[in-house]
Amino acid sequence: MILIVGGAGYIGSEINKELNEAGFQTVVFDSLVSGHKEATKWGEFVQGDLNNLEDIRGVFKKYKIEAVFDFAAFIEVGESVKDPQKYYFNNLVNTLNLLKVMKEFEVNKIIFSSTAATFGEPKYTPIDEVHPQWPINPYGWTKLMIERVFADYDVAYGLRYVALRYFNACGANDEADIGEDHAQESHLIPLILDAAIGKRENIKIFGTDYPTPDGTCVRDYIHVVDLASAHLLALKHLMDGGESKQYNLGNGKGFSVREVIDAVKKVTEKEFTVLEVERRPGDPPILIASSEKIRKELGWSPKYTEIEEIVATAWKWHQKKDDK
Ligand code: UFG
């Protein structure tokens, strides 16, 4: 049985679906603070909170867990600056709780959602795994601290982990049965789609004077289905007895905010107002991943590399979500 902590969220639910399709048995453990029960229709489901050791022990007692995926974290960079305590308790302390129970039950394999935010301001691009890690916000620090904890637990207790550092996760699967649905949305693609569908009056471009070809920030948009395939390869790696690893996950191509807006206009054939406003604090001009390491070592390669294709899958889901 594979345990998916935070499996009711955007990325966790996609991995749960794909694990089931690949023949694995899964149990999702989620507090439903931000996840959606209807996104957990594959495998078993247990509602519980990582701040409660007995909740976690309950799952390990009930099921014979072979490996764990951990997607349970708060992810809003801006909120983490305003309320770091919320982030350090949930993302750091609660993950320590999970590791404690894994150790009690002698489960030593974990695949962890880490982030490009562990790198902070890029010193060079594309960002590879040896790029220095010095986060510029509490969110990034919580994830980097856990990466450090894993490294120490590996040496001391034989924990084997794969930390996957996502760049800008986006898109939805072909069936568009689950997808991105945050109560407080701050991510670019769903916000532009909200403008296209008429739920927002406009989309604001945060800064047009960056040192980039069109003056707007460039990001590496990685499709959730490509993230899922990387997770399955990481699981196989650990199940085959592989050692602990860290991998950056991006599609290797950067797209500017203007390019993403143009792609949405083309795909949706909708017009909407685009406003140019001040920079948002803390945004580096360019974030592009080098994913050479996971390509070489695990044979991963992304299916979705063109922004219009990516946006089209997100649009399909976005319209469905709003019909619900
Ligand atoms: N943007 C706008 N207008 C908006 C929203 C975003 O112009 O209304 C811009 C941002 O300024 C940024 C780009 O669009 O340049 C992408 O912004 P997102 O908020 O979608 O994503 P980020 O690149 O800020 O954040 C992502 C992940 C974080 C992670 C971070 C790593 O979502 O979890 O990359 O730096 F921490």
Side-chain angles (χ1 to χ4, degrees):
M1 188 66 107
I2 307 294
L3 173 62
I4 307 175
V5 179
Y10 170 40
I11 300 169
S13 61
E14 183 63 33
I15 276 81
N16 184 32
K17 177 182 171 166
E18 299 207 17
L19 282 170
N20 277 273
E21 287 171 358
F24 289 95
Q25 289 190 310
T26 64
V27 52
V28 166
F29 178 86
D30 200 297
S31 67
L32 297 182
V33 166
S34 47
H36 304 278
K37 178 74 176 50
E38 62 276 14
T40 65
K41 48 193 170 199
W42 303 272
E44 305 281 313
F45 174 73
V46 173
Q47 186 166 355
D49 204 308
L50 288 180
N51 69 20
N52 185 336
L53 286 167
E54 284 313 312
D55 277 6
I56 312 172
R57 289 188 181 115
V59 183
F60 282 79
K61 274 183 203 145
K62 188 162 174 198
Y63 302 98
K64 173 129 192 45
I65 305 295
E66 289 168 84
V68 178
F69 284 87
D70 181 17
F71 300 97
F74 293 135
I75 57 162
E76 290 293 325
V77 170
E79 184 186 54
S80 80
V81 176
K82 288 194 198 100
D83 192 2
Q85 179 174 271
K86 179 172 172 183
Y87 278 70
Y88 283 106
F89 270 90
N90 190 42
N91 296 7
L92 184 59
V93 176
N94 289 351
T95 309
L96 294 177
N97 284 345
L98 174 65
L99 292 174
K100 181 177 164 68
V101 176
M102 283 176 63
K103 185 164 168 287
E104 286 170 11
F105 285 79
E106 296 176 351
V107 176
N108 77 335
K109 297 177 185 63
I110 187 164
I111 293 145
F112 178 66
S113 294
S114 190
T115 169
T118 58
F119 292 107
E121 290 286 345
K123 301 262 180 290
Y124 57 84
T125 185
I127 297 174
D128 56 16
E129 287 76 4
V130 297
H131 185 286
Q133 287 179 292
W134 193 261
I136 53 170
N137 51 62
Y139 167 68
W141 278 110
T142 64
K143 292 285 182 175
L144 183 58
M145 285 177 188
I146 290 296
E147 286 196 13
R148 184 65 244 165
V149 170
F150 284 151
D152 291 338
Y153 282 26
D154 177 322
V155 174
Y157 312 130
L159 179 76
R160 296 293 178 265
Y161 68 94
V162 177
L164 296 173
R165 302 177 186 134
Y166 316 153
F167 281 61
N168 291 62
C170 58
N173 67 49
D174 265 348
E175 289 105 74
D177 51 351
I178 46 176
E180 192 164 15
D181 190 6
H182 299 119
Q184 275 177 19
E185 193 51 77
S186 67
H187 293 112
L188 182 65
I189 294 177
L191 289 177
I192 310 175
L193 294 175
D194 273 345
I197 217 164
K199 262 176 66 182
R200 295 174 67 83
E201 281 176 14
N202 54 55
I203 183 74
K204 297 186 177 72
I205 300 182
F206 297 145
T208 53
D209 58 350
Y210 282 98
T212 59
D214 69 15
T216 67
C217 288
V218 171
R219 292 289 180 273
D220 185 331
Y221 293 91
I222 168 140
H223 198 277
V224 67
V225 165
D226 289 323
L227 284 180
S229 66
H231 284 76
L232 266 68
L233 289 169
L235 176 65
K236 183 172 182 310
H237 168 79
L238 291 183
M239 295 286 227
D240 289 347
E243 59 190 31
S244 297
K245 294 282 182 184
Q246 306 86 25
Y247 293 118
N248 295 354
L249 278 180
N251 86 42
K253 268 195 189 171
F255 297 100
S256 73
V257 175
R258 282 194 212 280
E259 284 175 318
V260 179
I261 292 174
D262 289 346
V264 171
K265 287 197 166 163
K266 208 161 161 199
V267 166
T268 64
E269 299 179 334
K270 306 266 187 208
E271 273 308 314
F272 48 86
T273 308
V274 178
L275 300 177
E276 298 183 0
V277 301
E278 289 298 291
R279 290 182 177 195
R280 184 175 71 176
D283 278 336
I286 302 181
L287 279 177
I288 298 175
S290 161
S291 299
E292 285 312 306
K293 189 176 167 199
I294 189 166
R295 285 172 189 259
K296 217 169 96 199
E297 294 187 0
L298 301 190
W300 177 76
S301 74
K303 257 174 50 186
Y304 293 90
T305 52
E306 293 311 320
I307 193 65
E308 277 175 30
E309 218 184 358
I310 290 174
V311 162
T313 69
W315 176 232
K316 195 167 157 194
W317 156 249
H318 208 82
Q319 294 170 93
K320 250 196 179 166
K321 169 174 81 94
D322 283 350
D323 284 346
K324 279 187 188 160

